[in-house]
Structure formats: C-alpha cells, structure tokens
Amino acid sequence: MALNKATQHALFENFEQAMMDYSKHIPFGEKACDFLTASPDPYHAVANMTARLSNAGFQRVSKREKFAGKLSPGGRDFYTANHTTLVAFAVGTRYQSGNGFKIIGGHTDSPNLKVKPRSKRSASGCIQLGVECYGGGLWHTWFDRDLGISGRVLVRKRSEEAAGDRGDGETIVQRLVKIDRPVARVSTLCIHLQTADERKAFKVNKEDHMTPILGMQPAAAVLADAAKAQLTSGEQDISLDDPWSKDQEPLILDLLAGELGIDRADIADFELNLFDCQPASLGGIKKEFLNSARLDNLATCFVATEALAEYAESGALESDEDISLIALFDHEEVGSQSAQGAGSPIMAEAVRRISSALSNHPHTLDPDIFSASIRQSFVFSVDQAHAVHPNYASKHEKNHAPKMNSGVVMKTNQNQRYATNGVTGFIVREICRRAKLVPVQEFVVRNDCPCGSTIGPIISANTGIRTVDAGMPQLSMHSCREVMGIADLTNGLDLFKAYFKHFREIDNAIEG
C-alpha cells in the first residue's frame, strides 16, 4: 500500500528529528573515539587522562613525597600508581577539615592478551609470541583480528653524568610504546579441517589455540645472520650480558627498539599486550552507537575525567565545600587484589592523606575528623552495565532491562555483588530529579542467572564509605569489540557533573 504525501512528509520529519537528536551527541562521541583509539592499555589510558587534566589546570603530585604544604582549597591535583591507576581531585574553596569526598570510581583495565615473560615461541615454520589471557574475555572474538602491540618498556639510559653519581652510568626509564599496525594475528582453523562437533560450537583452548603468529621463521634466520655479523665486528652479544633478552623474540626487541629510537641492547624489560588495530568509530544508521574495544571500562574513565575537568573549569569550586575526586584502578578484571587495584589501600589512603594535608594539623590528623570525613563521603562506583540484547531479551529480568541511549543504569543486588542500597540509590535518583536529567535505568539480574561484580563492594567494605554501583549500558561486554549508545556518554557526563554539584545539599537533607 502506497503512503500518501502527508504520511511520507510526517515520516520524513520524524526521521529528521531523530537524526538531530543523535547529532548533538556526535562531537562528544567523536572525542571519546579519539581517546579510546589512543588508549590500548592502562598505561596509555592514564597518560591520556593526565594530559587532559593538566590542560584543565591540574598539577601532578608525587605519592612518594609528603602532601602537606602542596594542597590547598581551590587546588586541582592528581597522582598515579604504577602508571596504571589514577587519582585526581579538585578541592572546593570552602573546604574545611572533616568535610567529605565526592568520589567516582572506575577501572582502567580490560580483558586482553598479555605477552609472557618469556615471549619467544615458534611452531610449524611460524614465529609466534607467547601470550597469557588476562581477565574473562570472550576469547573467540580475538580470532582473525589485526593485532598491534602496546605497553610499557623499561629502557637502560647511560650517561657520563650518571656514571659520576652512581658508578655504573645507568638509569632505567619507562617509555610507552604503541605499534598500531597489524603485526600479530590469531587465526581460526578452517572449517574443512573441523569435525562435525567442532563445527557446532567454537571451543577455545586458551593455551593451545590463542598463540598469535608474528611471521615466518626464515626472517628470523636472516636476523640471526645479521647478529653474527655484528659479533664478528666487535659488538657484544646482549644475551651474554642480559640473560632476560635470550628468552625474548628478537623480532619483537627490534620492533620495540625501532619504535623507540634506541638500541636493542637498551631494552631491560617490558610489559606488553596485544590490541585490535581497528580504531573506535561511530556506527548505526544515525551514528547512534559507539563501536570500540575496551568500552568496559575506558568509557567510564573518559567520561569521569571529562566531568571532573569540566566541573573544575566551570568555576563551581568557588562554592564547593567538599573534595571532588576520581579514582580509576587497575586489575578490576582479575579481582582488584593488587598494589594498584581497588582492593589495595589506595582509596582509604587518598582520603587520609588528602584530609591530613588540608587540615590545620597536617602531621597528626585527628581520627575523629577522619571518621567524620568518611561518613560525609560517597562513592559513585561506575562500571559499564548490561543493556538488553534484542536477540537475547529473555536473559534480562523483564522489569529491569535497560536500553542503550536511554540513560545511566543503577545496579542492585541483594547478595552484595553490587553495593547499592535504598539510601545510595535514592541519592542518585534525586540528583537526576533536581538537575532535570534523564532518569537512571535499573538493573537487577534474573534469579536464575549469575551476577557480575565490580569495585563498589570492595571499596565500601574496605573504607566504610557509602557506595552506589552504576554504569552506562552496552552490548558485547568483554568482546574484542564492544558497542554502546553515544547519548549515554552525554547522559553520564551530565550525571557526574550534577553529582559533584548537588550531592552535598541532598546528603544534608537525609536524616541520620
């Protein structure tokens, strides 16, 4: 049946309106794409976030030094742990000892393939790379992807000056490396060689099937000949001086050396991972989606950093009596129990050290003042949430099926997999109401399904700070390539800034 002109015109107008609704979110979505593409690992993510904060007037402080005398009301500061965890904070001008912390927590790590300490491996005439599966990835999604290499390299730096001071003329510096071209690949087995059972379900043995291919062994033979020529010319074989290097794939060492502009012998160690070279992009017929690796949980890290920077730049600190802080931890995907994870002392230490540095007696923080600060503080634990999947809608409890592009999701679990309770949930809903924001969506897992968890319960139990768990909804969580709605980036940004602005007045109105 043909549509009349009036109906056609109405449909066209509705389509144009829908296009405009998403178009306003596109600039922020494109900014998120740039960040995600530039952040293939926690090292790069933290480096990019600290660069953004520095541009917003935040100053780096060292955890190794005393904070006393370096922090002040109205100040903006940040520090890192292991270059993979970030703590950044802006102090309200009206701050007084014992006032609270408005905290947004998240994590910088994502499931990936990490290079093993002994990386050299080969089989069937192919040069391979020894890798370890990190976290709970959907590993079948890593097959047939163009993989680059990124991470941290420890570099020996020699100088005459250092020789005079240290005797050995050597210092160790940390350099970041990002090789965003396809140097590695994990290939699937062709269907013709699979059994009938193997064709029914793609089963992955992580040790046998996940080893990536770098190249063909003849290339290594050429390299070996070149190395022998160097030895005969009088150059030292680095493996004789550094046993670590003999267990590394020489092609990787040469690749890193070329990328960093150093000699291969200068590489002392590295922490590397593989990543999908495909850049983040906007997708969908109206560009309503963001397609990227590591949305869980770099989308949160990006939005939280932007929110803190914009809040500080807005002049809002002039009337603020609290401390607005983001804490973005490493190792959430493997349980958070590390020196830089959410299970470490970092969160409680941040509250204690910052409170102490800002008190009238920075060398002896009154325990009563510290306890009062804890009781006035709040943690917005933000990790990506599960949007309802149109092809698997039955996996969601029917009254708790959040949709993409429809608002931030609040997560509740009475078995304490999430830290949300009646009061903390009310505070977030009230922030949305007072700021006239898109209301939060609700997520509760089905009774017959397992439930994930995140840093919220860990921080709440370790510090006693009230906590809510929330996140922006997405699909394909823990895949090599994930997807979320671009409107939810804006929804998250607006909510986080409103949280910094309205939390104190709402919390003061709650009895007890």
Side-chain angles (χ1 to χ4, degrees), residues 140 162 166 186 200 338 402 433 446:
H140 65 276
R166 299 166 57 90
V186 181
K200 291 178 183 178
S338 71
R433 188 186 71 83
R446 286 172 56 102

Side-chain angles (χ1 to χ4, degrees), residues 451-495:
C451 183
S453 188
T454 185
I455 64 173
I458 296 171
I459 292 176
S460 181
N462 284 352
T463 65
I465 301 176
R466 295 166 297 166
T467 303
V468 69
D469 270 299
M472 295 172 286
Q474 71 164 78
L475 298 178
S476 306
M477 188 175 290
H478 286 200
S479 171
C480 190
R481 191 83 175 169
E482 302 170 328
V483 59
M484 68 175 291
I486 63 168
D488 289 324
L489 291 168
T490 307
N491 292 332
L493 180 70
D494 292 342
L495 177 55

Side-chain angles (χ1 to χ4, degrees), residues 52 124 229 286 330 398 467 480 497 511:
R52 170 67 177 99
S124 303
K286 293 174 289 195
D330 197 0
K398 62 182 180 180
T467 303
C480 190
K497 290 193 294 186
E511 205 172 25

Side-chain angles (χ1 to χ4, degrees), residues 55-279:
N55 288 336
F58 285 72
Q59 303 293 318
R60 183 186 293 271
V61 293
S62 172
K63 278 191 68 181
R64 296 186 178 187
E65 300 174 358
K66 293 179 180 180
F67 286 179
K70 297 178 181 178
L71 310 184
S72 61
R76 313 171 193 180
D77 302 277
F78 69 87
Y79 58 89
T80 64
N82 192 48
H83 300 279
T84 60
T85 289
L86 170 67
V87 176
F89 52 96
V91 185
T93 303
R94 299 184 182 182
Y95 174 84
Q96 295 182 353
S97 291
N99 287 6
F101 287 71
K102 300 170 292 186
I103 300 166
I104 295 176
H107 66 90
T108 61
D109 63 320
S110 303
N112 63 37
L113 301 178
K114 292 189 178 293
V115 178
K116 290 182 176 180
R118 293 182 172 181
S119 64
K120 186 186 295 184
R121 182 174 290 194
S122 63
S124 303
C126 291
I127 302 168
Q128 295 182 283
L129 187 66
V131 296
E132 181 179 2
C133 295
Y134 174 87
L138 291 175
W139 300 117
H140 65 276
T141 65
W142 281 78
F143 283 74
D144 299 330
R145 297 275 182 171
D146 293 342
L147 302 176
I149 297 176
S150 72
R152 169 170 66 178
V153 180
L154 302 185
V155 178
R156 302 181 190 277
K157 188 175 181 180
R158 299 174 176 85
S159 69
E160 293 300 324
E161 290 183 21
D165 296 334
R166 299 166 57 90
D168 56 7
E170 181 177 279
T171 57
I172 304 297
V173 297
Q174 301 183 38
R175 299 276 302 275
L176 297 187
V177 64
K178 178 174 177 281
I179 301 167
D180 52 3
R181 61 183 181 87
V183 296
R185 185 179 178 89
V186 181
S187 293
T188 50
L189 178 66
C190 68
I191 192 170
H192 312 88
L193 299 182
Q194 296 181 23
T195 66
D197 288 340
E198 288 172 333
R199 295 181 187 189
K200 291 178 183 178
F202 185 21
K203 296 180 181 179
V204 178
N205 182 302
K206 293 187 289 186
E207 182 62 29
D208 295 338
H209 303 153
M210 293 292 296
T211 303
I213 298 171
L214 292 174
M216 299 301 297
Q217 279 186 307
V222 172
L223 187 65
D225 290 340
K228 291 178 182 178
Q230 287 182 346
L231 283 174
T232 57
S233 67
E235 293 189 29
Q236 184 183 13
D237 182 358
I238 62 170
S239 65
L240 298 177
D241 185 49
D242 182 8
W244 171 84
S245 65
K246 70 180 176 60
D247 294 317
Q248 311 311 320
E249 171 51 52
L251 291 178
I252 288 295
L253 294 177
D254 278 347
L255 182 68
L256 296 174
E259 189 73 16
L260 296 173
I262 59 176
D263 292 333
R264 186 168 63 146
D266 292 334
I267 299 175
D269 207 333
F270 53 60
E271 290 179 274
L272 304 173
N273 62 248
L274 304 185
F275 68 95
D276 184 3
C277 290
Q278 185 177 3

